[in-house]
Amino acid sequence: MQYLFYLFAAISVLSGLFVVTARNPVNSVIALIVCFLSIAGHYILLNAQFLAMVQVIVYTGAIMVLFLFVIMLLNLNNSTEPQKTLLTRIAAVVAGGVFLLTLLAATRQGVEIAAANPADASVGLVSHVGMALFKDFLLPFEVSSVLFLSAMVGALMLGKKEKVAA
Amino acid sequence: MSALILTSVLGVVLLYLGLSGNKSILAPTAIVGLVAAGVMSWTGWNPGLMEFPTMLKFDQMSTLFNCAMIAVTVLLFLFGIDYYRRMEENVAEHYALMVFSLTGALILTSYTNLLMLFLGIEILSIPLYILAGGKKRSYRSSEASFKYFLLGSFATAFFLMGIALIYGVTASFDLAVIGQKVQAAPNNVLFLLGAFFVSIALSFKVGAVPFHFWSPDVYEGAPTLVTAFMATVVKTAAFAGFYRFLQMTAMPPALSDTLLVITILTLFLGNVVAMRQSQFKRLMAYSSIAHTGFLLMAVLANSAMSWSTLFYYTFTYALATVGLFIVLTLAKRAANGNEAIVIFRGLFRANPWLALVTMLLLLSLAGIPLTAGFVAKYQVFMLAIGAGFIKTAVFAVFMALVGIYYYVLVIREAFTPAEETPVLVVSPINWLVVSACGVAVVAFALWPVLVG
């Protein structure tokens, strides 16, 4: 189990790095798919089988394929990438460095992390997720419908062709 | 709870009414619905006794904030009757999205669970990203929408990282449970980190320096009604959410120090940069950043009384802002879409009453005695001094004095005769709303004196 965790962690980190460093956006997307697959691996290690499946089907399957299409349609390459000035680069490095430092410093101080739930292989099955959604988290589940509805309304409003004003 | 359900349903009803093609029934329906929601919220009417105590808790604080936000939205919709008159398409969508956004705001004032905080923020923001791009033919409006969306998503990423860390430490999303665990082990570094991340995201939403870069551009680009909504309802909700979150963390010293730095930067930058603005909406954006600084002081004091100060401050600030944005729209129409401060020139000649009310509203924002803005600032300073932030309070008083300068600039324009007196067309409803804002700003200032 532990080795599997390190394996998946290494794949996630490396593919994640490749996503940001790759020159070609298509390579980036492929690396992101690998990253998402390894995260699905983490979910399985954590006994969240349903989440792992959803991750593969929704993220790696649907969303990333859509992403790939968009990138291919836009025909992005080096020449269309905006050039960043030296100042922005320095600022980005400093900001990122400070962020990394904070995270490292925090994790170095052997902090206590809440114990995970006792290992129960069935905890991540669909029925359990369903029970949690419709019992403990019923209100957030229902309220999120407002969120999706407004997102849909917005997409239609912004995407709809307007009649040309006379 | 029933107010929350009513506003969600009201949004859908408005969308359906939009299909009928009759624009004139939209605003009245929305206003009637919102007034009903306000009454339900005020009386705590809850027929089916639907309660989710681990998700939402409607206490005195959330009731007052909710009623205030609903009232401000009603004022904005009254203004909307005239504002959307010339718009042909998507009027129903505009109203519906604002109602949905208000639903998110209602959640933000009353959540007891980090999941609800997340949903509240998103429901509040996503309609705004869209509304900011409401003028589809305007380049600035699209830019505002896109900028707001990208930076908002970035803030959301920080927020999620924060609650993931907090969950990792406490194994709970419930504020009460987290609060207990934190009191048992106050200096858990991962928890602090999580609280930092959430605070960053919330600072972005309230527009505190250094997370303020979006606000001048978005305020300027968005349609005026939406800008007014952002400056009032959204800011109020974000502050209520911020306050509730910080109450739970019990304000560890590291977090308090960070917020202190953010507060001082916000006070300084907001007030100083506002002095150099020539566009009214940008001026209002920086003024709103400056007010964020004062409000952050109340949050920073983190006493049990902070919320009533926050409520008084945000509500009176919202009333003044709504009035001013209406006056701006009227003046802008007379000046063919120009939004510079100079368009206020000659306002006194054109419409003395409107100019007087504008003066009152601006004086209230500046915090001159006998207006509500003064009482609000006074309360904030007393709160900060009571909590031991004496130097910050002195600095804030100084910054408030700087702030008077740019508000007086606008007043001076309004009372300077123009070469060509602008012709303002003021519809009766707009006149009523602006006057109500002006009267309320004075009435609320006298209220504490009259009552106690």
Side-chain angles (χ1 to χ4, degrees):
Chain A
M1 283 289 266
Q2 221 172 359
Y3 295 112
L4 272 177
F5 169 74
Y6 283 121
L7 178 70
F8 284 133
I11 297 176
S12 317
V13 172
L14 288 178
S15 56
L17 277 176
F18 193 71
V19 173
V20 270
T21 51
R23 286 270 157 200
N24 188 336
V26 177
N27 290 350
S28 253
V29 172
I30 305 281
L32 197 56
I33 293 178
V34 175
C35 185
F36 281 165
L37 282 176
S38 68
I39 288 172
H42 282 297
Y43 285 147
I44 291 181
L45 288 184
L46 289 167
N47 262 335
Q49 297 92 332
F50 176 66
L51 265 190
M53 285 304 113
V54 170
Q55 168 87 7
V56 172
I57 295 169
V58 175
Y59 279 89
T60 10
I63 292 181
M64 290 323 287
V65 169
L66 204 67
F67 223 91
L68 210 54
F69 271 127
V70 171
I71 284 176
M72 286 174 171
L73 285 176
L74 287 181
N75 191 21
L76 291 174
N77 50 44
N78 280 339
S79 58
T80 54
E81 198 168 308
Q83 293 296 312
K84 291 164 192 82
T85 60
L86 190 65
L87 191 70
T88 15
R89 285 179 198 212
I90 293 175
V93 168
V94 169
V98 169
F99 186 60
L100 181 70
L101 204 68
T102 321
L103 279 178
L104 278 181
T107 41
R108 262 183 52 135
Q109 300 193 359
V111 280
E112 244 179 83
I113 293 180
N117 291 328
D120 172 6
S122 68
V123 77
L125 294 179
V126 187
S127 59
H128 278 79
V129 176
M131 286 307 276
L133 263 189
F134 288 102
K135 266 172 85 179
D136 306 341
F137 297 103
L138 177 64
L139 185 67
F141 178 76
E142 292 292 342
V143 162
S144 58
S145 61
V146 180
L147 179 62
F148 295 129
L149 182 63
S150 49
M152 272 191 290
V153 171
L156 279 176
M157 190 183 114
L158 291 183
K160 203 166 65 178
K161 242 191 199 148
E162 272 187 22
K163 286 177 217 137
V164 180
Chain B
M1 194 68 219
S2 40
L4 195 67
I5 296 171
L6 183 68
T7 48
S8 321
V9 174
L10 181 64
V12 181
V13 169
L14 287 172
L15 286 174
Y16 273 105
L17 283 181
L19 290 178
S20 72
N22 184 358
K23 286 196 302 179
S24 55
I25 49 169
L26 290 169
T29 317
I31 289 163
V32 168
L34 285 179
V35 169
V39 171
M40 281 178 186
S41 175
W42 181 257
T43 55
W45 192 62
N46 195 2
L49 283 180
M50 271 177 301
E51 275 184 19
F52 297 87
T54 57
M55 295 294 162
L56 291 176
K57 194 179 77 191
F58 293 95
D59 50 13
Q60 203 189 358
M61 170 190 160
S62 59
T63 307
L64 275 176
F65 269 101
N66 287 352
C67 291
M69 290 189 303
I70 291 172
V72 172
T73 315
V74 167
L75 288 181
L76 284 171
F77 281 3
L78 283 171
F79 168 43
I81 295 176
D82 179 51
Y83 187 81
Y84 287 129
R85 180 163 290 157
R86 285 183 292 178
M87 206 169 97
E88 286 304 319
E89 287 186 68
N90 296 333
V91 181
E93 281 84 347
H94 272 83
Y95 281 118
L97 285 171
M98 254 182 274
V99 170
F100 284 140
S101 187
L102 180 69
T103 313
L106 299 185
I107 294 173
L108 270 179
T109 58
S110 47
Y111 70 95
T112 56
N113 194 303
L114 289 180
L115 270 181
M116 292 310 284
L117 172 60
F118 172 68
L119 280 172
I121 289 187
E122 289 305 298
I123 296 175
L124 181 78
S125 310
I126 288 196
L128 285 178
Y129 301 151
I130 301 154
L131 285 170
K135 285 189 285 187
K136 278 203 268 181
R137 284 203 189 76
S138 149
Y139 173 75
R140 300 218 81 125
S141 179
S142 306
E143 184 201 350
S145 170
F146 196 61
K147 204 170 229 168
Y148 197 22
F149 170 63
L150 276 187
L151 291 173
S153 316
F154 197 54
T156 302
F158 268 102
F159 181 83
L160 285 176
M161 180 93 180
I163 54 173
L165 284 172
I166 292 175
Y167 186 82
V169 176
T170 59
S172 176
F173 288 129
D174 197 316
L175 288 188
V177 178
I178 297 173
Q180 279 170 6
K181 295 238 167 113
V182 171
Q183 254 148 30
N187 281 321
N188 190 316
V189 183
L190 278 187
F191 172 77
L192 275 182
L193 212 54
F196 269 131
F197 285 163
V198 176
S199 304
I200 287 176
L202 290 169
S203 307
F204 171 85
K205 289 292 167 209
V206 297
V209 178
F211 312 106
H212 68 287
F213 289 104
W214 58 276
S215 71
D217 292 341
V218 174
Y219 275 41
E220 195 183 9
T224 309
L225 183 65
V226 178
T227 310
F229 188 78
M230 281 196 268
T232 55
V233 174
V234 175
K235 190 154 256 176
T236 309
F239 262 106
F242 206 175
Y243 172 73
R244 276 198 174 242
F245 177 76
L246 289 173
Q247 278 292 95
M248 178 274 292
T249 63
M251 204 61 121
L255 194 58
S256 167
D257 290 348
T258 315
L259 282 177
L260 186 64
V261 174
I262 291 180
T263 308
I264 291 172
L265 283 177
T266 311
L267 281 170
F268 180 75
L269 204 121
N271 280 307
V272 170
V273 180
M275 291 199 289
R276 301 173 49 110
Q277 301 305 317
S278 61
Q279 296 290 315
F280 186 71
K281 272 178 161 178
R282 287 188 91 82
L283 174 81
M284 287 304 281
Y286 281 104
S287 128
S288 124
I289 293 172
H291 283 283
T292 299
F294 293 112
L295 285 160
L296 273 175
M297 277 172 67
V299 173
L300 196 63
N302 205 34
S303 77
M305 281 312 291
S306 282
W307 72 262
S308 60
T309 307
L310 275 181
F311 166 74
Y312 187 83
Y313 199 122
T314 48
F315 188 43
T316 51
Y317 167 75
L319 287 174
T321 309
V322 168
L324 282 175
F325 274 116
I326 296 177
V327 176
L328 168 73
T329 310
L330 299 176
K332 186 178 146 184
R333 277 184 193 156
N336 293 327
N338 187 355
E339 284 180 350
I341 296 170
V342 248
I343 60 169
F344 283 95
R345 187 166 290 175
L347 189 63
F348 186 68
R349 280 273 173 82
N351 195 330
W353 169 247
L354 214 57
L356 279 174
V357 174
T358 309
M359 184 183 77
L360 262 181
L361 297 174
L362 284 163
L363 288 179
S364 174
L365 287 184
I368 304 288
L370 278 183
T371 59
F374 172 74
V375 182
K377 280 205 175 75
Y378 175 77
Q379 284 180 352
V380 167
F381 296 150
M382 289 322 274
L383 210 59
I385 289 169
F389 296 104
I390 296 169
K391 279 182 198 157
T392 320
V394 173
F395 178 71
V397 171
F398 183 66
M399 279 298 137
L401 292 178
V402 172
I404 294 174
Y405 169 76
Y406 53 84
Y407 293 118
V408 170
L409 274 190
V410 183
I411 298 177
R412 198 190 65 181
E413 288 294 344
F415 284 84
T416 311
E419 288 159 16
E420 242 180 281
T421 307
V423 185
L424 294 190
V425 185
V426 190
S427 79
I429 295 176
N430 281 348
W431 184 87
L432 204 67
V433 175
V434 175
S435 309
C437 290
V439 170
V441 158
V442 178
F444 273 106
L446 300 176
W447 184 281
V449 185
L450 295 177
V451 173

